[in-house]
Amino acid sequence: MSDLASLVAGRNIIVCCGSGGVGKTTTAAAIAVEGARQGRRTCVVTIDPARRLADALGLRSLTNTPGRVEGKWPGELWALMLDTKGTFDDLVVRYAHDPQQAHGILDNRLYRNLSDALSGTQEYMAMEKLYELHEEGGFDLIVVDTPPTRSALDFLSAPRRLTRFLDNRIFRMLVLPTRAYLRAVSVATQAFLRTVAKVVGAEMVSDTVAFFQAFEGMEQGFRNRANGVLELLSQPSTAFVLVASPRRDSVDEALFFAERLGRSHIAVQGLVVNRLHPRFDARPDGSSATEGSAAAPVDASATGDGQALAALVANRDELRAMSAREEGHYAALAAEVAPAPVARVPFLADDVHDLEGLAVIADHLFGQGGPAAA
């Protein structure tokens, strides 16, 4: 069993992280398929609104609740696509003291904008959904396809973002004038609010005041939840798998990502490098069969079959050079995350749109389709 397969067998949560466009969603789906193959009750979670996970699984759509994916495996495979606003609404209802407080928040215009569009909300809700699934205890393994954020590790800081927002002292002093200790400053704050209203509009100020007043008393619930999410991500039962492509820019982002994980005392447990060009001269041990040799010369004066052969040789040499550049690009990344295993997934002839395609990816990831792990 490869090291990546051991992660699938032994961990409860696998977080697939990396920049956008590197095949993270497909990798997460393939890992989940492997979980089902190993007999585990597995759920894969995506936040990708482009429905790539549904496409990879050969499904028309996914919802905010786990849906079962049928397949020939001893375990179970479930999948869901995060509905950011729906998850946020559920959280508000959970921590509201009564239905009136919940409705006061859900109907607030500031909340509706915040729950849909505030930067970081998607990452926060992804972690909330992970926590919810884990706490319910219905799955042996949860695989998370993290948001394709430009800023590495946004999803790790996301749980605390809302609590920091709700704890903002300036806002709290401005919008909670009914508290006794704030009565002395209420006149000044009302004057300030009138000034702000001239700039941003009275409705905006009114909505903001109503929003914070509606949230009063719920902060501790969100704070406890944020602490629970961070603790869950730090447990040994959680593994982080970094996904990258062999392009220079992707590797640079992945290196930055690995460094930031390290600062958070989180080790990368596996590296997946997608869409590698073929190594025609690779030996089983990974070394080159033609190292040190010069490329075959192309006879420009050749005709007929000679021209065709020369074109093939030139194409081979071009691919060989491209493969060498890719190997050089991600070598530093592999060293950075060592001793984490490195899984190599080659360019495939077709895109992945069904379980058969995911099985091919899984074969490369888990060592059943050639030299997958190094």
Side-chain angles (χ1 to χ4, degrees):
M1 181 178 286
S2 72
D3 288 340
L4 282 180
S6 297
L7 289 182
V8 175
R11 303 302 177 97
N12 300 123
I13 295 171
I14 294 179
V15 182
C16 295
C17 49
S19 56
V22 296
K24 198 162 63 261
T25 302
T26 303
T27 299
I31 289 174
V33 167
E34 176 65 15
R37 282 175 164 183
Q38 292 189 16
R40 308 195 77 189
R41 196 161 189 257
T42 307
C43 182
V44 55
V45 182
T46 186
I47 46 67
D48 185 359
R51 302 180 180 179
R52 291 188 180 88
L53 179 60
D55 184 49
L57 292 168
L59 304 174
R60 288 188 175 181
S61 62
L62 293 169
T63 69
N64 199 39
T65 56
R68 185 162 181 170
V69 182
E70 299 296 339
K72 296 179 180 178
W73 36 60
E76 295 180 12
L77 177 60
W78 298 72
L80 71 85
M81 185 177 75
L82 180 73
D83 173 357
T84 301
K85 188 177 186 312
T87 302
F88 208 160
D89 290 352
D90 291 343
L91 208 59
V92 167
V93 172
R94 178 177 294 116
Y95 287 116
H97 298 305
D98 52 54
Q100 184 178 3
Q101 185 183 27
H103 287 305
I105 296 171
L106 298 178
D107 292 339
N108 184 275
R109 281 177 292 190
L110 177 62
Y111 168 78
R112 291 203 298 268
N113 289 329
L114 180 146
S115 60
D116 275 334
L118 181 69
S119 175
T121 303
Q122 192 180 47
E123 293 90 338
Y124 176 45
M125 289 304 134
M127 293 301 100
E128 285 293 341
K129 181 58 73 175
L130 165 64
Y131 188 76
E132 175 186 314
L133 293 171
H134 179 267
E135 289 299 293
E136 289 175 353
F139 298 104
D140 304 318
L141 172 65
I142 303 170
V143 184
V144 183
D145 169 32
T146 58
T149 61
R150 286 187 177 182
S151 179
L153 300 185
D154 271 1
F155 61 93
L156 284 180
S157 61
R160 294 198 185 283
R161 198 164 301 155
L162 181 61
T163 54
R164 284 200 298 267
F165 183 57
L166 295 173
D167 284 342
N168 187 291
R169 291 183 178 180
I170 295 176
F171 274 108
R172 291 178 65 77
M173 290 184 67
L174 290 174
V175 302
L176 297 175
T178 57
R179 286 187 174 182
Y181 71 91
L182 288 175
R183 285 174 185 162
V185 297
S186 61
V187 174
T189 57
Q190 291 303 320
F192 179 79
L193 287 175
R194 284 195 294 274
T195 302
V196 174
K198 292 177 182 177
V199 178
V200 301
E203 288 188 351
M204 178 64 186
V205 172
S206 175
D207 288 344
T208 304
V209 170
F211 172 80
F212 278 91
Q213 288 178 339
F215 258 98
E216 187 176 10
M218 294 175 58
E219 306 96 311
Q220 190 58 46
F222 280 91
R223 191 177 294 107
N224 292 343
R225 186 90 167 186
N227 291 335
V229 172
L230 291 174
E231 183 179 349
L232 179 63
L233 292 175
S234 304
Q235 290 179 352
S237 57
T238 299
F240 283 76
V241 172
L242 188 57
V243 184
S245 78
R247 298 193 318 267
R248 170 69 74 185
D249 57 340
S250 173
V251 168
D252 287 345
E253 283 199 44
L255 277 168
F256 176 66
F257 209 99
E259 181 186 352
R260 288 289 306 278
L261 278 172
R263 288 185 197 171
S264 299
H265 307 290
I266 295 174
V268 174
Q269 301 292 327
L271 171 64
V272 176
V273 184
N274 275 321
R275 301 167 189 152
L276 282 160
H277 283 86
R279 300 166 64 191
F280 295 113
D281 54 352
R283 294 190 179 104
D285 63 359
S287 63
S288 170
T290 58
E291 286 177 355
S293 64
V298 177
D299 184 359
S301 63
T303 58
D305 292 343
Q307 282 186 335
L309 179 59
L312 289 174
V313 170
N315 184 250
R316 184 208 61 184
D317 290 344
E318 183 180 347
L319 288 173
R320 181 180 291 170
M322 189 177 298
S323 175
R325 285 197 298 272
E326 291 176 347
E327 299 290 334
H329 288 165
Y330 82 79
L333 178 58
E336 176 70 21
V337 302
V342 181
R344 305 159 49 90
V345 181
F347 263 114
L348 301 178
D350 301 302
D351 291 335
V352 176
H353 295 297
D354 50 33
L355 294 176
E356 287 74 17
L358 283 178
V360 173
I361 297 288
D363 286 345
H364 286 287
L365 288 176
F366 303 106
Q368 301 168 39

